[in-house]
Amino acid sequence: MADTAGALRVGTGPGRWVLLTTVLGSSMAMLDSTIVNVALPRIGEDLGADLAGLQWTVNAYMLTLAGLILLGGALGDRYGRRKVFVVGVVWFAAASLLCGLAPNATVLVLARALQGIGGALLTPGSLALIQASFHRDDRARAVGLWSGLGGIGAAIGPFLGGWLVDGPGWRWAFLLNVPLAALCVPVALRHVPESKDPQAHGRFDVLGAVLAALALGLVTYALIEAPGLGISSPVVIGCAVLGVLVAAAFLYVERTRTDPMMPLTLFASRQFTAINVVTLCVYAAFSGFFFLAALQLQVVAGYSALQAGTAMLPTTVLMLFLSARSGELAQRIGPRLPLTVGPLLCAAGMLLMLRVGEGASYVRDVLPAVVVMGMGMVTLVAPLTATVLASVDTGRAGLASGINNAAARAAGLVAVAALPLLAGMGPEAYRSAAEFGATFRRAMPMCAGVLVLGALIALATVRDPQGGEEAAEAECRTHCGLTSPPLEPDHEPGEGHRLP
């Protein structure tokens, strides 16, 4: 295959193949996450799991994903983004098969952790392939299409999961990934150009990856087990303190290593730092919301799994028709306004979910919340992704994607672990409509508050790339150690610098 790095156009056949491949791969992970949320009540019933077991079913995946995703991005930059992406897709499918065959909750949780390793390989590679393959003038639109179509995978997941859970069974929520991988792999090998960072060198930061995963695991364990063991339990306190100490050790290792997987100098760029802080707020709220909303609709409102999944379909329609345009709009007006308005709309949608209780009407109670939530996601997701990539050198696309994804997954991991504790949910809360409904009403304002915090941070810290692009690029290169040129220059001779 001829070298087409940085030359593809969205409207061409090769460009469509790249988009198809990356969307298929990332949608496997997206679908799986959202399908699992809808399937949780049935999984708990069939496998005899309490609330902590359901939390671990979600968090075992996010734990390995968040801890290893930076290493996955580095592997792609070094050995080839397409190659590592394909390995991740195959690994993810194999782990999904094990999830579908799991005889008990313990095996399911372990298989979910293996899934996270596959996700850590394929997730950063999908976005990095887009950034490295498309022409600079088409990158914003390509990222918008990727975000929108990938978001559709996340949104359609509850509907598909509900149909599977009520029909052939929850195990098919995992087995579905096998045919998707069988389609994705040959298309990637035939139609996607290989790309890598020619400056990538040195040893891989395996110690950093282990410390990151261990820190997240210890903190998560403390948060999930606190309701059952008691917040003053020596085990809970010990794990929490040890988790903080391991996190400090991780930061020390990343600061002192020659080739860290997460170079702390990247955060000297104010734009990169700001967008990752916003990501922490947004995805903590999203993960907490989707984890609890699927249970609320089934346990309290009395919806079937299919009805609960179908309730989220309006977000699918909104993401399908508006995400690409949202990315283009953010490119014209700058990211600050979308990253401020989007979280506020999502917060309003979460507060509207407080109307959803026993016997809730879909049209009167659920639909308004879902539509407002969907409009917030449309406004937010594509600009968030594009701004992350625009704040770094193109050659570091895999690294930037990995850090931002790690931030999102770590935020979701902690939120799913902490929110039931903060809302006062007991180990058997999801088996009682009255108890779960009361704690859900306490949890939604917490999620909305985190989104409002993210909006305020975006308003105060995110800069629009107007009039100061060259200074922003110089700042990033000076502080982040980015001395090599991008794969393709972002400006022509005589023109001002244009961020992609």
Side-chain angles (χ1 to χ4, degrees):
M1 180 182 295
D3 184 8
T4 55
L8 298 184
R9 294 286 188 168
V10 169
T12 64
R16 293 190 187 100
W17 281 117
V18 172
L19 280 173
L20 173 63
T21 304
T22 54
V23 167
L24 275 175
S26 60
S27 292
M28 287 174 57
M30 289 284 191
L31 275 169
D32 198 80
S33 298
T34 52
I35 286 177
V36 168
N37 284 337
V38 174
L40 286 175
R42 194 67 56 84
I43 291 174
E45 178 183 340
D46 287 354
L47 301 182
D50 59 9
L51 181 62
L54 300 187
Q55 288 174 281
W56 277 117
T57 300
V58 174
N59 276 351
Y61 171 78
M62 288 199 289
L63 175 60
T64 51
L65 177 63
L68 300 176
I69 200 168
L70 297 176
L71 186 60
L75 286 169
D77 285 343
R78 173 83 67 84
Y79 294 118
R81 291 155 187 151
R82 183 187 65 180
K83 182 185 299 182
V84 173
F85 172 81
V86 169
V87 171
V89 171
V90 174
W91 185 300
F92 193 91
S96 297
L97 180 61
L98 182 58
C99 288
L101 300 176
N104 53 56
T106 301
V107 174
L108 177 60
V109 169
L110 292 174
R112 288 283 286 163
L114 291 175
Q115 265 193 319
I117 298 175
L121 296 175
L122 73 88
T123 302
S126 63
L127 190 53
L129 281 171
I130 289 177
Q131 185 73 356
S133 299
F134 282 95
H135 190 278
R136 65 179 183 274
D137 294 336
D138 278 14
R139 284 176 193 151
R141 179 168 175 78
V143 169
L145 287 169
W146 177 86
S147 298
L149 294 172
I152 289 170
I156 204 173
F159 168 76
L160 182 59
W163 179 78
L164 291 171
V165 170
D166 287 343
W170 62 265
R171 295 179 184 278
W172 283 96
F174 300 106
L175 298 176
L176 177 67
N177 291 319
V178 177
L180 286 178
L183 175 62
C184 181
V185 170
V187 173
L189 293 175
R190 180 175 178 82
H191 296 286
V192 176
E194 184 62 282
S195 64
K196 61 180 67 175
D197 178 9
Q199 304 299 319
H201 60 83
R203 296 181 178 180
F204 290 108
D205 186 10
V206 177
L207 177 60
V210 171
L211 289 175
L214 183 58
L216 289 171
L218 287 167
V219 172
T220 300
Y221 180 84
L223 291 170
I224 290 178
E225 299 301 326
L229 298 177
I231 198 169
S232 60
S233 165
V235 173
V236 171
I237 295 175
C239 286
V241 172
L242 186 57
V244 172
L245 293 176
V246 173
F250 166 73
L251 294 176
Y252 175 79
V253 168
E254 298 308 284
R255 185 173 65 86
T256 56
R257 279 186 64 93
T258 304
D259 295 296
M261 70 175 188
M262 190 181 77
L264 299 184
T265 51
L266 278 174
F267 293 94
S269 167
R270 288 172 293 178
Q271 186 84 329
F272 185 75
T273 302
I275 204 67
N276 278 287
V277 173
V278 174
T279 297
L280 287 171
C281 294
V282 166
Y283 280 92
F286 281 177
S287 297
F289 170 79
F290 285 113
F291 174 71
L292 296 180
L295 290 168
Q296 176 76 0
L297 289 172
Q298 295 177 73
V299 174
V300 179
Y303 286 24
S304 68
L306 177 58
Q307 289 172 327
T310 305
M312 300 296 178
L313 276 181
T315 58
T316 304
V317 177
L318 292 171
M319 295 288 285
L320 174 62
F321 288 106
L322 299 178
S323 282
R325 294 183 180 181
S326 173
E328 293 173 342
L329 176 63
Q331 187 182 30
R332 291 198 301 270
I333 68 174
R336 178 185 291 177
L337 184 59
L339 295 181
T340 301
V341 173
L344 294 177
L345 285 173
C346 290
M350 290 182 184
L351 292 177
L352 286 173
M353 280 294 292
L354 293 173
R355 296 160 52 90
V356 177
E358 187 175 354
S361 163
Y362 178 73
V363 174
R364 184 185 67 246
D365 302 319
V366 181
L367 183 60
V370 172
V371 169
V372 174
M373 181 82 177
M375 288 303 300
M377 293 175 68
V378 165
T379 306
L380 168 68
V381 172
L384 185 70
T385 303
T387 306
V388 168
L389 295 177
S391 64
V392 300
D393 179 5
T394 307
R396 295 292 187 91
L399 180 59
S401 174
I403 290 175
N404 189 246
N405 271 284
R409 309 310 171 187
L413 174 71
V414 173
V416 171
L419 196 57
L421 173 64
L422 295 174
M425 292 185 185
E428 302 297 324
Y430 81 98
R431 303 186 192 278
S432 167
E435 182 180 352
F436 191 88
T439 53
F440 180 83
R441 288 191 293 273
R442 292 195 291 268
M444 284 303 98
M446 297 178 189
C447 292
V450 173
L451 282 168
V452 171
L453 176 61
L456 293 175
I457 292 172
L459 180 64
T461 61
V462 174
R463 296 180 303 171
D464 292 331
Q466 298 172 354
E469 295 90 340
E470 292 182 357
E473 178 76 1
E475 177 202 14
C476 185
R477 291 184 178 278
T478 299
H479 294 297
C480 304
L482 304 180
T483 57
S484 60
L487 295 180
E488 181 173 286
D490 288 331
H491 60 88
E492 301 295 335
E495 295 182 341
H497 182 86
R498 296 194 304 267
L499 290 175

